[in-house]
Amino acid sequence: VCAAVIALIFSILLKIELYEWLLIIMAILWVFILEIVNTALEYLADFVSPHFSNNIRIVKDLSAAAVLVAVV
């Protein structure tokens, strides 16, 4: 959320064009959506397998990696 606010502040200060606003908003929403999906997958994985499982750890790591890739 903090990075999104900073991006929006810089967008205002730099007086970006409308299409640039759309790209910024779409990127922010994409990351938020992936964060929600990541959180849902983690809760589901914990529900399905409350004990430690290497496979569940991999699923959680991959969903977190998807969010990281979206940010970059």
Side-chain angles (χ1 to χ4, degrees), residues 34-51:
L34 284 177
E35 270 296 344
I36 291 168
V37 171
N38 178 41
T39 302
L41 282 173
E42 288 190 0
Y43 277 108
L44 180 62
D46 289 340
F47 178 76
V48 170
S49 179
H51 300 0

Side-chain angles (χ1 to χ4, degrees), residues 11-22:
S11 298
I12 293 167
L13 293 175
L14 295 173
K15 298 178 179 157
I16 64 174
E17 298 291 327
L18 177 61
Y19 75 93
E20 293 170 320
W21 271 108
L22 293 174

Side-chain angles (χ1 to χ4, degrees), residues 4-70:
V5 171
I6 291 170
L8 293 174
I9 289 171
F10 273 106
S11 298
I12 293 167
L13 293 175
L14 295 173
K15 298 178 179 157
I16 64 174
E17 298 291 327
L18 177 61
Y19 75 93
E20 293 170 320
W21 271 108
L22 293 174
L23 292 174
I24 295 285
I25 298 300
M26 285 174 42
I28 291 170
L29 289 176
W30 179 243
V31 172
F32 282 157
I33 289 167
L34 284 177
E35 270 296 344
I36 291 168
V37 171
N38 178 41
T39 302
L41 282 173
E42 288 190 0
Y43 277 108
L44 180 62
D46 289 340
F47 178 76
V48 170
S49 179
H51 300 0
F52 178 79
S53 167
N54 200 40
N55 291 333
I56 295 295
R57 181 190 60 80
I58 292 170
V59 168
K60 288 182 174 185
D61 288 347
L62 289 173
S63 65
V67 176
L68 179 64
V69 169

